[in-house]
Amino acid sequence: MTGAGEAPAARIARLNTAYAHAIDDDRLEDWPGFFTDDGLYRIVTRENREAGLPLAIVHCDGAAMMRDRVRAMRTANIFEPHTYCHTLGAAEIAEGEDGIHTARTNFTVVRTMHSGAMSIFACGRYLDRIVEADGALRFAERIVVCDSRTVDTLLVVPL
Amino acid sequence: MSTARPWPDDDVSRVPYRVYTDPDIHAREQERIFRGPTWNFLCLEAEIPNPGDYRTSVIGDAPIVVVRGRDGGIAALVNRCAHKGALVCYKPRGNVSEFTCVYHNWTYDLDGRLTGVAFRRGVRGEGGMEEGFEPGAHGLRRLRTRTRNGLVFATFSDEAPDLETYIGRDMLSALDRVFVKPVRVLGYHSQVLPNNWKLYAENTKDSYHATLLHVFHNTFGIVRFTMGGGIRLSENGWHHLSFTERSADGSEREGAEAVRSLKEQYALEDPSLMEHRLELGDRITNSIQTIFPTLVVQQILNALAVRQLVPRGPGECELRWTVLGFEDDDESLEALRLKVNNLVGPAGYVSMEDGCIGGFIDTATRSAPEERSFMRMGGTAIEPAGASRVTEAAVRGFWRAWRDCMAL
């Protein structure tokens, strides 16, 4: 992978793609590695966010909590098997201070059940703060804002 | 109904699967339970603090708007215009000085009285409402409304006893226990479940499944110093409380250290979400309380919420969570609540399974309307139980309530 010489937009696009494909390919053990150790990952609804309400559907404060999420899903939680397919929009990027980039990327996640039933499970935007760490880009913060106020059945695989 | 007696005997420990799928039973529930002698939770007073604030809610299939009046009182009105039956409030919340139906501009005051009919006198002497029209007979239907601890309830029924009698003394004190001071809404969750509403209602009263379906604690070897607890029921069996509490012998410690793993290889890397600050004046760590038909009040460590169960036809329901803190929470307590809420909600470590289990039953029982479940843990009695909580007594209590209302 190329690093510093490449334009930020291209690097962020690659980060987004790798993130989505790790989830879609069920490589969830790789998922916390897309974040800094103290990174923040939250799934929230647009309704709560626009009302200024702090509740999250998933709230991981640090990569350790993300690893716990994955291990709970693998070993403890019970749910009907299903897969995701992410489709991403182009990132809108702004460079802030100290090389921190903020980015917004729209996403759609189609969920396919073991039965074959498919549905648009989630649609919304990623609101990210992205930093350079050990020569790679990582999420210091990824807020997943879902347009719908409702979750169908349950949410276990991260978005 | 396809058989005269869908429930052939008086046994509430054996539920005929037909009652989860039959559209006629669903229609009868609307009439006899939701528009019958029950008190239904609608929203929190804290959501409509100012005069003119409203939010919409439902009782069964019926759309309701709850509004704060000019005098500070609260009214629950059926959200249906007296003219053509359109929704008067089509936005979920807002602030108004009066209600105006967008279709033909009929207006109502905050008590639901009809105050204006567009073109009532016609235009230049032509048209207009019929002679003898009485606005007083065409208001929004106003329901009996009552609040307790900031929770707003209403009933369609003149026959329902007053709210306090309906809930009963013991269950009232359990409700009062959680709402010790003014609450603040931290946010909402909504889950659409692929099953009849009663399957979720039963599940919340089923303490037997808690450690069997939800294996998060066991998997991670989390030892909870919760030595006591039990099941309490209202006298008629309709409502229940299930709780666990820490021992009082001083062996427990505050905070995350109170939780440890016996199996290090499966320990949580970050156990901070299991931290618990005692805040309700007792040592209870978990309590789940139900008020028939569709209210659940939850305290799981510092995760406080009310859940409203909304039927959406026989085969689907929506679970609406209002997640709470207290007005006087400081930043660190709010941060703790947001973290502990990972345990509950649509992605909750100990609640997500409740989202799918009803669908598993729905799929398996649709083909067997005449067959029946067998819920005899603890026999057939509807009575309180001790700390093990291995009983289905409260589930049987739900069916007692259901049959009392349904007369089936």
Side-chain angles (χ1 to χ4, degrees):
Chain A
M1 279 196 192
T2 55
E6 198 179 359
R11 296 182 73 201
I12 288 171
R14 243 169 354 95
L15 175 70
N16 276 336
T17 304
Y19 175 99
H21 291 180
I23 293 172
D24 294 352
D25 296 347
D26 195 29
R27 287 181 280 109
L28 293 179
E29 283 68 17
D30 294 346
W31 168 66
F34 289 96
F35 293 81
T36 60
D37 280 349
D38 61 352
L40 180 67
Y41 174 78
R42 310 184 82 226
I43 300 176
V44 302
T45 64
R46 183 171 181 156
E47 177 189 48
N48 283 333
R49 183 178 174 84
E50 291 185 352
L53 299 171
L55 182 69
I57 296 169
V58 172
H59 174 100
C60 291
D61 187 359
M65 285 188 77
M66 298 178 214
R67 289 189 288 270
D68 286 340
R69 268 275 162 194
V70 173
R71 288 190 317 139
M73 176 190 154
R74 296 288 195 218
T75 61
N77 289 124
I78 290 160
F79 50 90
E80 194 177 336
H82 59 274
T83 56
Y84 285 171
C85 183
H86 281 72
T87 302
L88 303 177
E92 183 183 11
I93 300 164
E95 184 165 357
E97 290 175 10
D98 304 328
I100 297 172
H101 288 86
T102 58
R104 173 234 168 118
T105 308
N106 284 8
F107 68 87
T108 302
V109 170
V110 173
R111 182 187 62 182
T112 302
M113 309 304 290
H114 182 66
S115 67
M118 303 176 83
S119 60
I120 295 174
F121 180 65
C123 167
R125 68 197 72 176
Y126 294 120
L127 301 178
D128 303 321
R129 291 179 65 244
I130 300 166
V131 298
E132 183 95 33
D134 304 326
L137 294 184
R138 302 212 194 290
F139 297 109
E141 185 176 293
R142 168 154 269 197
I143 310 296
V144 186
V145 184
C146 295
D147 277 357
S148 176
R149 50 178 280 280
T150 283
V151 171
D152 180 68
T153 309
L154 60 83
L155 186 151
V156 63
V157 180
L159 293 170
Chain B
M1 244 162 289
S2 33
T3 57
R5 296 196 64 203
W7 205 319
D9 54 36
D10 192 44
D11 186 351
V12 290
S13 71
R14 306 211 60 192
V15 178
Y17 296 136
R18 173 181 305 283
V19 303
Y20 302 115
T21 55
D22 188 328
D24 292 336
I25 285 185
H26 181 79
R28 191 177 172 93
E29 286 171 346
Q30 298 305 312
E31 177 198 334
R32 299 192 62 100
I33 295 177
F34 297 106
R35 296 196 299 276
T38 59
W39 282 92
N40 291 265
F41 169 76
L42 289 171
C43 68
L44 291 151
E45 280 198 76
E47 297 174 274
I48 46 172
N50 304 308
D53 284 351
Y54 76 84
R55 64 153 289 178
T56 58
S57 187
V58 291
I59 296 179
D61 291 343
I64 308 292
V65 57
V66 188
V67 62
R68 174 86 63 179
R70 292 185 204 295
D71 60 356
I74 285 180
L77 309 167
V78 177
N79 186 8
R80 182 188 303 126
C81 184
H83 173 222
K84 290 270 286 185
L87 288 174
V88 175
C89 295
Y90 62 94
K91 293 180 182 169
R93 46 177 57 82
N95 181 279
V96 291
S97 54
E98 62 181 2
F99 293 115
T100 304
C101 178
V102 295
Y103 201 173
H104 302 89
N105 274 21
W106 284 35
T107 55
Y108 303 87
D109 68 16
L110 299 183
D111 290 313
R113 281 184 290 262
L114 182 63
T115 52
V117 170
F119 303 125
R120 182 177 169 190
R121 311 288 176 205
V123 178
R124 288 190 286 274
E126 279 186 353
M129 185 56 76
E130 65 172 1
E131 289 296 318
F133 176 72
E134 288 184 38
H138 299 278
L140 301 178
R141 176 158 179 192
R142 185 171 177 163
L143 306 182
R144 285 173 72 194
T145 310
R146 178 91 185 165
T147 64
R148 176 90 184 182
N149 298 321
L151 305 183
V152 181
F153 295 84
T155 178
F156 274 87
S157 168
D158 295 329
E159 272 116 60
D162 64 84
L163 177 69
E164 289 75 13
T165 306
Y166 178 80
I167 294 176
R169 195 190 50 198
D170 291 351
M171 292 296 111
L172 268 183
S173 68
L175 196 60
D176 294 346
R177 169 190 167 266
V178 176
F179 297 92
V180 290
K181 50 190 171 179
V183 293
R184 189 163 71 87
V185 174
L186 296 181
Y188 303 93
H189 293 307
S190 160
Q191 253 174 300
V192 173
L193 310 181
N195 53 263
N196 185 268
W197 69 278
K198 299 186 291 297
L199 287 168
Y200 187 84
E202 285 182 273
N203 183 72
T204 58
K205 299 197 182 228
D206 170 8
S207 46
Y208 176 30
H209 85 283
T211 57
L212 301 171
L213 176 64
H214 309 297
V215 298
F216 176 78
H217 287 95
N218 291 346
T219 299
F220 289 98
I222 295 164
V223 175
R224 288 174 294 176
F225 291 91
T226 47
M227 310 298 281
I231 309 273
R232 304 276 184 272
L233 296 164
S234 62
E235 265 182 48
N236 58 9
W238 285 29
H239 323 300
H240 104 297
L241 168 74
S242 170
F243 68 102
T244 55
E245 62 189 341
R246 288 187 196 169
S247 64
D249 64 5
S251 65
E252 92 294 336
R253 285 164 292 172
E254 297 291 321
E257 298 147 73
V259 182
R260 62 190 167 84
S261 174
L262 295 176
K263 296 180 284 183
E264 286 302 323
Q265 70 273 28
Y266 284 120
L268 287 175
E269 259 191 78
D270 183 349
S272 62
L273 84 165
M274 301 301 301
E275 187 180 330
H276 181 206
R277 290 191 209 166
L278 295 174
E279 61 176 338
L280 300 175
D282 54 32
R283 313 177 72 78
I284 292 174
T285 54
N286 287 14
S287 80
I288 298 289
Q289 180 176 18
T290 60
I291 306 291
F292 185 83
T294 51
L295 173 65
V296 182
V297 178
Q298 158 222 308
Q299 175 227 337
I300 294 178
L301 306 176
N302 293 100
L304 310 176
V306 290
R307 309 179 198 160
Q308 180 191 19
L309 182 56
V310 178
R312 303 212 309 195
E316 189 174 280
C317 61
E318 182 187 350
L319 186 61
R320 299 181 179 178
W321 311 63
T322 305
V323 176
L324 303 171
F326 290 113
E327 265 182 14
D328 65 358
D329 284 355
D330 62 20
E331 257 180 51
S332 72
L333 186 50
E334 181 179 308
L336 174 61
R337 291 197 205 280
L338 296 179
K339 207 178 263 200
V340 176
N341 269 291
N342 279 299
L343 292 172
V344 281
Y349 283 131
V350 298
S351 71
M352 72 169 75
E353 291 85 4
D354 297 328
C356 64
I357 196 66
F360 294 173
I361 295 172
D362 178 88
T363 301
T365 57
R366 279 191 170 274
S367 57
E370 307 306 331
E371 290 189 30
R372 300 171 73 171
S373 59
F374 184 86
M375 300 184 295
R376 293 268 176 92
M377 291 303 286
T380 56
I382 301 171
E383 61 191 12
S388 86
R389 301 183 299 146
V390 181
T391 175
E392 291 167 307
V395 185
R396 292 187 288 272
F398 172 82
W399 289 108
R400 180 79 277 147
W402 190 86
R403 298 191 73 178
D404 285 350
C405 291
M406 293 287 280
L408 281 180

